[in-house]
Amino acid sequence: VYDPRSSRFSAVGSMAGPRNGHAAALLQDGRVLVSGGNSGDPGNVLASAELFDPETNQFTITGAMSSPRELIDPVALPSGRVLFAGGIDGAGSLTSVDIYDPDSGKFTAGSDLDTWRSDYTATTLPSGHVLIAGGWASGAITPSALQYVP
């Protein structure tokens, strides 16, 4: 954990296992949801998720996504839930969407994207909709964007 006052890092508890290409999202209660990625082997994409609690400096396992995925940009929704859209699963690109509910600790499926997309950026708009821009779509880097309504 980085402390901007002292300009120093300090070690905290370890995650349950190694992750690369994973995603993290700050929850409204201050915890951090870390999910997806791969175990260091690009063919072994993860669906698992963990919560980091800054009060205890520890990670705990939480629910798993419906699909393993990496190269995603999770976005916190005004409701406190977190949206995970698209990405890749080691076998191909995804259109599926998972939404994490911190109250239940579970992921549920959302409405699929119209086309697969990975390695994009996602931002919550004032309306509560999510802008997903750029990344890979239809086999090429894309300038296109779409709006997702959770």
Side-chain angles (χ1 to χ4, degrees), residues 60-110:
T60 56
I61 300 292
T62 190
M65 294 181 285
S66 63
S67 297
R69 61 180 82 228
E70 63 181 338
L71 299 177
I72 52 175
D73 186 16
V75 61
L77 303 173
S79 66
R81 299 176 306 153
V82 181
L83 175 80
F84 295 83
I88 60 174
D89 67 1
S93 301
L94 303 170
T95 60
S96 63
V97 170
D98 277 313
I99 300 173
Y100 180 77
D101 182 344
D103 293 333
S104 69
K106 295 181 180 177
F107 287 86
T108 57

Side-chain angles (χ1 to χ4, degrees), residues 3 14 18 25 28 37 55 61 73 78 81 83 88 90 103 108 114 119 121 123 125-126 135-137 139-140 147:
D3 180 350
S14 295
Q28 289 179 344
E55 296 295 318
I61 300 292
D73 186 16
R81 299 176 306 153
L83 175 80
I88 60 174
D103 293 333
T108 57
D114 292 341
D119 210 13
T121 60
T123 305
L125 302 172
W136 285 93
Q147 191 170 180

Side-chain angles (χ1 to χ4, degrees), residues 7 11 23 26 39 43 46 52 54 67 71 73 85 91 106 108 140-141:
S7 298
L26 179 65
S39 64
L46 305 170
F52 174 74
S67 297
L71 299 177
D73 186 16
K106 295 181 180 177
T108 57
I141 295 175

